[in-house]
Amino acid sequence: MIIVPEKEIAALIGRADCFDAVEKVFAAMASKDAYNFPVIREAIGHADALYGFKSGFDRTGLALGLKSGGYWPGNEAKGLTNHQSMVILFDADTGKVKALVGGNLLTALRTAAASSVSIKYLAPENAKVLGMIGAGHQSAFQMRAAVEHRNFEKIIGWNHNPERLGRLEDTAKELGLPFEAVDLDRLGEQADVIITITSSFSPLLMDAQVKGGTHIACMGTDTKGKQEVEAALVARATVFTDEIAQSISIGECQHAIGDGSLKEADIRELGAVINGQTAGRTSQDEVTLFDGTGVGLQDLAVASAVVDLAVKKGVAIEVDF
Ligand code: NAD
């Protein structure tokens, strides 16, 4: 069995490899060559923690396994990251354990890769302004990955707690782009691409605030009850997702499905656009929306890529198990 500890991941894998892995697995999901197993997520009644499993199998990449972990809100006070996870990969031919891989950085990278794949396939070609809603841990990862797919000239941002906007400003500076803090009216009016990455349980961005000719990647809503954009905006948009079942149950689409303004049949898989089975953006004025709910197969894809890189670079730790 191979072990790739959390502290080794940053030196092994970057955005480009994660982008490739996520793009391929979205395509495999749409071709029905890869599927996610039902998600388990439970409040364990200790340390206020949420704990669970995401798992699946990709026949094309032979990635079989699970990500296990969750959210421990008290960790920050202990100097630890609140989100904790690891990936276990199994040999698809024998069922033997193949690898244990740290999952914390990989989760951030695979989530950023998902919104950037959506930008590659769905954003207006001439997008110039990137709008960020949310300034938490994940926001910097999303921004860095997004700017690699269009020639953005400016980043604008909004956050519920304005004192955290420094993260967006610092990341934009690192990318050599000007940054401006704006209200949501200006964000919706000026941004060609919008990424939402918050823990909100009520809509932040309203339908009337979005001008059109816009691509929105909704990345924060991954649980029943969470919501980042008004349901009417989802209903107006051409909607794409990583996985339809998750989109309607725990993703941003749950609300528009719930009020009847969106039908399941209106939601398309991003992988089907990658495969050329479904059209992506069809007009310059269209609002496209990617509901990125986060699937286990993304975790398995990036973890498999890390294991391959660790073996190739001679840094894989091998143990008899
Ligand atoms: P974080 O705790 O570091 O940041 C949370 C962000 O949400 C901050 O910007 C905060 O100001 C904002 N926020 C909190 N409460 C809010 C409210 N009531 N209204 C508006 N904004 C509010 O978290 P993070 O690591 O940056 O992750 C952000 C979200 O993304 C989380 O909800 C997480 O569950 C989700 N996430 C989704 C995926 C996926 O694959 N879709 C992957 C990782 C994280």
Side-chain angles (χ1 to χ4, degrees):
M1 178 179 74
I2 289 168
I3 298 176
V4 188
E6 184 66 47
K7 65 179 170 50
E8 307 291 348
I9 308 275
L12 283 170
I13 195 162
R15 286 190 293 278
D17 287 318
C18 288
F19 183 96
D20 287 349
V22 170
E23 185 182 42
K24 277 198 188 87
V25 83
F26 282 171
M29 284 164 61
S31 320
K32 310 291 177 223
D33 288 318
Y35 67 108
N36 293 289
F37 307 157
V39 174
I40 291 175
R41 196 163 164 87
E42 294 285 326
I44 59 171
H46 178 77
D48 276 339
L50 288 173
Y51 171 74
F53 308 90
K54 281 187 168 181
S55 55
F57 178 46
D58 176 4
R59 267 192 299 269
T60 57
L62 291 187
L64 174 69
L66 60 90
K67 179 169 84 169
S68 179
Y71 187 72
W72 274 258
N75 274 7
E76 209 170 324
K78 298 176 188 163
L80 297 169
T81 311
N82 289 353
H83 287 98
Q84 292 290 333
S85 64
M86 69 175 298
V87 179
I88 310 177
L89 297 172
F90 295 86
D91 184 317
D93 295 319
T94 62
K96 274 186 63 127
V97 181
K98 189 173 152 188
L100 294 184
V101 185
N104 294 353
L105 177 61
L106 285 183
T107 299
L109 290 170
R110 66 76 146 147
T111 305
S115 57
S116 68
V117 171
S118 84
I119 291 168
K120 172 178 169 186
Y121 286 94
L122 300 172
E125 283 303 328
N126 61 352
K128 297 286 180 234
V129 180
L130 172 64
M132 297 292 308
I133 298 180
H137 174 72
Q138 193 60 45
S139 63
F141 290 89
Q142 305 298 137
M143 191 197 293
R144 290 188 195 109
V147 301
E148 289 172 341
H149 299 282
R150 288 296 182 270
N151 292 318
F152 291 108
E153 293 174 354
K154 184 178 179 181
I155 297 176
I156 56 181
W158 178 90
N159 194 52
H160 178 64
N161 323 91
E163 67 278 6
R164 292 179 81 171
L165 281 168
R167 177 181 268 122
L168 297 182
E169 190 167 3
D170 292 348
T171 311
K173 200 169 166 191
E174 161 200 317
L175 297 167
L177 288 167
F179 174 79
E180 192 184 349
V182 295
D183 61 24
L184 287 170
D185 281 340
R186 274 194 57 204
L187 193 140
E189 193 183 290
Q190 295 185 359
D192 304 304
V193 173
I194 298 172
I195 299 175
T196 62
I197 184 74
T198 74
S199 311
S200 179
F201 276 81
S202 54
L204 305 168
L205 186 68
M206 299 296 164
D207 184 29
Q209 289 171 317
V210 175
K211 68 174 160 75
T214 314
H215 174 62
I216 308 170
C218 293
M219 304 304 298
T221 299
D222 56 0
T223 303
K224 199 167 165 41
K226 278 188 177 176
Q227 186 172 14
E228 298 188 292
V229 307
E230 192 181 19
L233 178 54
V234 178
R236 168 185 164 202
T238 312
V239 179
F240 302 83
T241 188
D242 41 22
E243 190 191 78
I244 292 169
Q246 281 202 177
S247 166
I248 62 176
S249 55
I250 59 168
E252 198 59 45
C253 288
Q254 64 183 290
H255 307 285
I257 289 281
D259 72 16
S261 58
L262 183 75
K263 293 185 188 61
E264 186 175 332
D266 295 331
I267 307 172
R268 305 152 193 211
E269 284 178 294
L270 180 57
V273 181
I274 298 168
N275 287 338
Q277 300 161 304
T278 300
R281 167 173 294 277
T282 54
S283 88
Q284 282 303 308
D285 303 334
E286 193 174 6
V287 176
T288 50
L289 186 146
F290 172 62
D291 185 4
T293 64
V295 293
L297 282 168
Q298 278 170 262
D299 299 301
L300 304 186
V302 292
S304 299
V306 157
V307 170
D308 289 348
L309 288 163
V311 170
K312 199 164 137 193
K313 292 181 182 175
V315 297
I317 300 168
E318 288 203 56
V319 292
D320 254 346
F321 187 79

